[in-house]
Amino acid sequence: MKWIKDRMITYQLDKALKNKKKTEVAFPINPRRVAILASNKEEFLESKEMLRKIWGFNIRIIGGYFSEENTDAEAICPIYFSIWGLPTDYFNEFMEEKLDFILVPTLHLSPYLRYLLLANKSRFKMGFFSKENSPILDFMIKTEGENLKPNLEKLMAYFKKIKETC
């Protein structure tokens, strides 16, 4: 069953990438609602901590990380997708909420998370540059080294500079 879901999510992702419409990117001035899509729990928690350090509890953070099993509330796993590779009602909040931006703190997202990222209507998506992220993200920087924290700090520093100039 999982094999079929994996095939179908890849099909849905390819279809969504081909049908992706050009949208106007809107740079968030005063972010209040943010999502994080990460490859694992550590990346998710480190990114969440970074955002809390910058904006405190004045910002609402949703999203999660990919996990093969449903381990906690922030785990996004294949059981929340239909056999056809489409997100179920579990993702209604994520899909419908007007987010100021989505942060992707990883170079390689699972096809499930990539599909969610494409399907979300957020007008600003940022993260790190990789071949698979480039058609999806609006603002990317190149990572330096393996440590996530300095790369996130650099990304957020550039984000602040651009925000101040706009």
Side-chain angles (χ1 to χ4, degrees), residues 107-122:
L107 294 174
H108 306 289
L109 285 175
S110 74
Y112 296 95
L113 294 179
R114 290 180 70 210
Y115 184 80
L116 285 177
L117 187 60
L118 266 175
N120 187 280
K121 304 290 187 230
S122 173

Side-chain angles (χ1 to χ4, degrees), residues 69-83:
E69 300 167 359
N70 189 8
T71 54
D72 62 34
E74 293 163 335
I76 297 172
C77 50
I79 63 168
Y80 299 128
F81 289 81
S82 72
I83 191 72

Side-chain angles (χ1 to χ4, degrees), residues 27 155-166:
F27 194 82
L155 178 68
M156 296 313 292
Y158 280 121
F159 177 79
K160 283 182 184 178
K161 283 181 183 179
I162 293 171
K163 190 176 103 174
E164 289 169 1
T165 343
C166 291

